[in-house]
Amino acid sequence: MASPLSATGSFGTRLLALRRRAGLSQEDLAHAAGVSVRALSYLERGRSKGPQRRTVQALAKALGLDASDTRELEDAASRGRPRPAHTADVPHPVPQATVNASAPDLLPRAPRGFHGRTAELAALTRATAGEAPVCLVVGPAGVGKTALALHWAHSDPAGLTDGRLYADLRGFSDTGEVALTEVLSEFLLALGVPPESIPESQNGAAALFRSLAADRRLLVILDNARDSEQVRPLLPGGDRCVTVVTSRHRLPGLIVTDTARPVAVDVLAPQDATMLLARILGADRVHAEPAAALRLAELCGGLPLALRVVAARLAGRPGWSLAAMAEELSDHTRRLSLLDLEDTGVRAALRLTLQQLPEPVSSLFAHLGRHPGTHVDRYTAAALAGTDLAAAEAALERLAVAHLLTETAPGRWAMHDLVRLCARGLDAHPDTLKRLLDHYTATAIMAVAAAEPGAEDCFPLPVDHLPPPAVRAFGDRSTAVAWYAAERSNLTLAVAAAHAAALHDRTWRIVLAMWPLMVWRVRDGWVPLLETALAATRTDADEHGEARVRNVLGWVLTEEGRTPEALVHLEAASALAARGGDAFAEANALIVLAMAQASLGSLDEAAANCEHAVELARETGDRRMERLAMQHLARHQTDAGHWPQALTTATQALAFEDRPDTTDIPHVLLLAIRGEALLGLGDHAEGTAQLDLSAREAESAGYDDGAVRALGALLRAAPGAEVQARYDAALTRLTTRG
């Protein structure tokens, strides 16, 4: 049987025979070769007689031709190419009579099952108003940018009556980007330019396209653009034309040079997500399981691509319930594989986005996948990747431009849940988690230094500590406390990750590094976290760490009214510290043990333990610990009604302060104790003044627990509406805080 290439005939005839011999449809060959179906149809019908050499090579590769057959196909194409007398960059004038007078329409069909997006459609209409507008429809992979643009375009925007042009630029395709000359040729053919009059060069074709668009009202949709450079040659020249560009990147260059107007497309809200499922699966099936439908929307993160894949799986399994599908997706180790079908799906889409990024950026993305929390900043990113701050910040910005991260607040980035799962499946340095944990520990130590100036370090660093590339500096207590509050969730999740990875020496250190936040938020449910830390110290047989953790745990249990449990930990903490020669930890344990004893009414025993703690602090020369022990001693003396001793002790402790203008918790509490002692001695004016001062300093510092204590005592001594209102406000903040 003769080869199709041995037969006589035009290039188009030969191409058609080769395609049929290969058993490919026009759609199959067009996709494999990276040309449009319309362009391939024109080639086979002879409307484009001589395609360019790179197009022929792409077709030959897609058809599986050998070198000999490829040369023959190239020769046939070469014979069909016109030989213009003019240079390629100066196109032939196109007689007006030869230009197609009908309105061309290259739009693909309207998307099926489209639902919602009312706000985005309205924004798109607003963005395309005005003179020669360029609109950017931007968002992450799989969010439905193309569907939005096509749905809007098929609604026949008012005034765009001279044609609708469309090109998939394949900026994120694994088959490679489409040649811009091919796009321009297809546009020009659609506008009625004869094949022989189409310039071969990109510049010439672009100039001809702009001249033909100048007097038309065209809608041009450029889908899946990689960057601004890929788009600019395809922009029409007419003042009445509208161009809509879709991209996974923000394309700021087009905003600068062409005043492009962005329309951001985000994930679907839960109700819209379930309606999308209903459009595909049928309303009856979805409405029969409303809770399961919402769960599917949640597991898909509102991402339309993920929802469509789930709907396709369910459509192929009519006997499956939505609840069963939700149960399958709940396994995070399988979720991404379940959200892929053949060559499409979430993981495939994200992979193509990543392929466009430089190696340092994609490497940082992989490292971010090891972060157990929800938000990162540049310091955290630098620690994860082991790089400097500038490189980390640049990579974070690049990932945000590619919609792989979202900047939720200035300097803080977050990942979509499905994007995080993708990142976790990539390779990262084996020390990534350890780097992260040591970053949090080092930052917390800096925060402690700012929040509690002069405080003794809770622990020595691990022997294999990995210093982070940069550590945040805190200018004052408020910035340190703000960091603790912002990072609390991340720190808690980091503890869980350290525990799961059996990094016990990191587990308890991160927990203890949170102690300033525990002091300020003592009733916020710290016991489970401290119990995890205690288990870590015992697993590592670290008595120093165990004594410190038991001490904090005993204090929290005491504050929660769980005194019998607290006594067990505090007595053990005191004994462990004494055996280890850790005078600081022993003094601390005695102070907290005294608190527990006082809560049971043993005030004399509590005072004796505090006096012992004062002696230990003096032996070691630790004036901060001495002041703390005296503060608690004064508290027990006050509760016992020993007013002169309490006043003397509190006054001496207040005199210890090196920075009397610095508001800290012991200072607030000592003022309150001094006020109560003065009241007990009959000095009402000075006593209430001291209590009010204590309360105001606590309120100013955000120390609600201290404010409640001082204001409560003030109310008992001098009831009044203003004091009552302050007390109620502080108590509300204390009891409703998340």
Side-chain angles (χ1 to χ4, degrees), residues 179 203 249 272 310 416-417 517 568 612 654 682:
N203 288 342
H249 292 168
D272 283 336
V310 165
H416 186 281
D417 288 346
L517 191 57
V568 173
H612 186 192
L654 284 166

Side-chain angles (χ1 to χ4, degrees), residues 181-548:
T181 51
E182 294 293 339
V183 175
L184 289 164
S185 294
E186 185 170 356
F187 284 179
L188 292 172
L189 286 169
L191 292 172
V193 178
E196 62 273 12
S197 297
I198 296 176
E200 292 190 24
S201 77
Q202 177 180 303
N203 288 342
L208 180 56
F209 173 55
R210 288 193 296 272
S211 68
L212 291 176
D215 297 322
R216 286 175 165 81
R217 291 169 295 181
L218 294 174
L219 170 61
V220 180
I221 295 184
L222 304 174
D223 201 11
N224 293 313
R226 169 181 44 82
D227 55 25
S228 301
E229 183 181 1
Q230 191 185 26
V231 170
R232 288 193 184 98
L234 304 177
L235 296 177
D239 290 343
R240 294 179 294 172
C241 295
V242 170
T243 306
V244 176
V245 182
T246 76
S247 181
R248 299 179 190 181
H249 292 168
R250 292 178 185 164
L251 306 189
L254 283 181
I255 298 176
V256 173
T257 61
D258 294 273
T259 320
R261 303 163 190 174
V263 172
V265 185
D266 205 346
V267 296
L268 292 171
Q271 288 301 125
D272 283 336
T274 57
M275 287 302 296
L276 176 59
L277 290 174
R279 286 287 182 93
I280 302 172
L281 293 173
D284 290 345
R285 189 173 179 185
V286 172
H287 292 165
E289 298 182 78
L294 283 172
R295 177 61 176 155
L296 285 175
E298 177 189 356
L299 291 168
C300 291
L303 197 66
L305 176 60
L307 290 161
R308 288 181 179 275
V309 171
V310 165
R313 288 191 178 277
L314 285 167
R317 298 171 175 83
W320 271 40
S321 67
L322 272 64
M325 187 75 241
E327 181 67 24
E328 292 283 305
L329 283 177
S330 295
D331 182 353
H332 72 273
T333 64
R334 300 181 57 223
R335 191 176 307 159
L336 280 181
S337 62
L338 290 170
L339 294 178
D340 278 343
L341 280 175
E342 296 182 349
D343 61 344
T344 189
V346 176
R347 184 161 46 192
L350 293 173
R351 176 175 54 81
L352 295 175
T353 302
L354 282 171
Q355 286 177 354
Q356 303 292 329
L357 298 174
E359 192 281 330
V361 179
S362 58
S363 175
L364 176 68
F365 178 77
H367 286 93
L368 291 176
R370 298 300 191 273
H371 190 280
T374 56
H375 290 77
V376 297
D377 58 17
R378 60 189 183 129
Y379 291 92
T380 307
L384 281 164
T387 188
D388 61 78
L389 275 183
E393 189 164 24
L396 288 168
E397 291 287 353
R398 187 69 179 269
L399 289 169
V401 166
H403 289 96
L404 292 171
L405 290 179
T406 301
E407 192 170 10
T408 56
R412 288 178 70 79
W413 289 266
M415 276 184 178
H416 186 281
D417 288 346
L418 296 179
V419 175
R420 185 181 296 107
L421 287 178
C422 175
R424 285 179 182 171
L426 302 176
D427 291 335
H429 194 281
D431 282 341
T432 298
L433 178 58
K434 192 178 290 186
R435 289 172 179 169
L436 174 73
L437 301 174
D438 289 353
H439 152 72
Y440 278 135
T441 302
T443 308
I445 288 172
M446 294 291 286
V448 168
E452 300 294 336
E456 191 234 24
D457 290 340
C458 293
F459 45 76
L461 294 172
V463 293
D464 60 342
H465 174 74
L466 301 174
V471 182
R472 179 191 298 272
F474 299 95
D476 53 29
R477 173 179 285 103
S478 62
T479 57
V481 172
W483 178 83
Y484 271 119
E487 294 293 338
R488 177 174 174 177
S489 175
N490 280 339
L491 291 168
T492 302
L493 291 168
V495 171
H499 181 66
L503 294 171
H504 305 300
D505 55 348
R506 268 77 177 174
T507 301
W508 69 265
R509 283 177 166 86
I510 292 182
V511 175
L512 278 197
M514 297 168 70
W515 73 263
L517 191 57
M518 295 180 194
V519 171
W520 287 61
R521 303 286 187 265
V522 67
R523 295 180 179 87
D524 276 6
W526 298 103
V527 170
L529 202 65
L530 287 162
E531 288 176 339
T532 299
L534 179 59
T537 64
R538 292 177 65 81
T539 300
D540 269 4
D542 187 334
E543 290 192 349
H544 169 82
E546 183 180 352
R548 299 295 178 105

Side-chain angles (χ1 to χ4, degrees), residues 543 546-548 550-551 566-594 597 609 612 616:
E543 290 192 349
E546 183 180 352
R548 299 295 178 105
R550 283 189 183 276
N551 184 28
L567 287 172
V568 173
H569 292 292
L570 294 169
E571 289 168 354
S574 177
L576 285 167
R579 185 164 68 233
D582 188 347
F584 178 91
E586 185 182 0
N588 218 343
L590 287 170
I591 291 170
V592 184
L593 179 59
Q597 292 166 336
N609 276 326
H612 186 192
L616 287 169

